C-alpha cells in the first residue's frame, strides 16, 4: 500500500514560517490527489488545502486566509505545505492524506502519521 510520512514540523515563534513535507513510498505519489489537514487538542479535524494530480488546488476553508500554499514535486514523490505568518492558533498536528481517485473529493485511502507544529513565544 501507499505509505505517507510527514516531516518539517517543530517549534516556531509567532510570525515564523515552516515548510512541511509529505513523502510517499511503495507507490508513486503522482497517482494521487493529496490533501493537508490539521487537528488541535480538543478540536475537530480541519481540512486546509488539497492538490490534484494535474496540479490544480482546492481550498477546504478560509481559516488560513492565504498564509498557506500547497505544491508538489512528483520527481521527489513529495507534496509540500508552506506555512507563513504563523499564529499560536495554528498549533496542531498536521496530516497529509491520499484520495482514492485523482481529484480532491470522495474517499481517502491513506493517512500519514502527522507532524507537530507548535507556535509559541
Amino acid at each position: 500500500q501507499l505509505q505517507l510520512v510527514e516531516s518539517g514540523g517543530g517549534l516556531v515563534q509567532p510570525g515564523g514560517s515552516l515548510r512541511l513535507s509529505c513523502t510517499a513510498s511503495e507507490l508513486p505519489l503522482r497517482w494521487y490527489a493529496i490533501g493537508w489537514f490539521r487537528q488541535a487538542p480538543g478540536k475537530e479535524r480541519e481540512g486546509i488545502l488539497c492538490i490534484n494530480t494535474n496540479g490544480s488546488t482546492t481550498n477546504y476553508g478560509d481559516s488560513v486566509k492565504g498564509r498557506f500554499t500547497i505544491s508538489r514535486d512528483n520527481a521527489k514523490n513529495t507534496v509540500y505545505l508552506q506555512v507563513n505568518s504563523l499564529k499560536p492558533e495554528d498549533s496542531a498536528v498536521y496530516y497529509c492524506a491520499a484520495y482514492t481517485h485523482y481529484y480532491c473529493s470522495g474517499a481517502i485511502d491513506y493517512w500519514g502519521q502527522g507532524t507537530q507544529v507548535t507556535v509559541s513565544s
Side-chain angles (χ1 to χ4, degrees):
Q1 66 176 25
L2 181 72
Q3 301 287 335
L4 299 174
V5 177
E6 301 93 337
S7 62
L11 177 64
V12 64
Q13 294 191 157
S17 298
L18 291 170
R19 189 175 73 165
L20 309 182
S21 297
C22 174
T23 299
S25 60
E26 304 299 327
L27 295 172
L29 189 72
R30 63 181 174 85
W31 294 357
Y32 297 92
I34 302 294
W36 280 98
F37 302 80
R38 68 184 182 184
Q39 187 167 26
K43 301 182 69 175
E44 66 181 43
R45 185 181 63 206
E46 176 188 17
I48 305 171
L49 289 164
C50 186
I51 187 164
N52 297 290
T53 56
N54 64 5
S56 65
T57 61
T58 298
N59 292 315
Y60 289 125
D62 297 324
S63 61
V64 300
K65 297 189 181 299
R67 296 182 294 114
F68 294 6
T69 57
I70 191 170
S71 62
R72 68 190 303 155
D73 185 342
N74 289 332
K76 296 183 181 296
N77 279 333
T78 299
V79 168
Y80 301 100
L81 184 70
Q82 179 71 39
V83 295
N84 298 326
S85 302
L86 286 164
K87 306 172 182 179
E89 52 263 43
D90 293 320
S91 296
V93 177
Y94 285 70
Y95 300 90
C96 62
Y99 286 79
T100 303
H101 297 102
Y102 296 119
Y103 298 99
C104 299
S105 63
I108 290 173
D109 273 356
Y110 305 104
W111 289 90
Q113 193 171 352
T115 185
Q116 176 73 52
V117 173
T118 302
V119 185
S120 177
S121 60

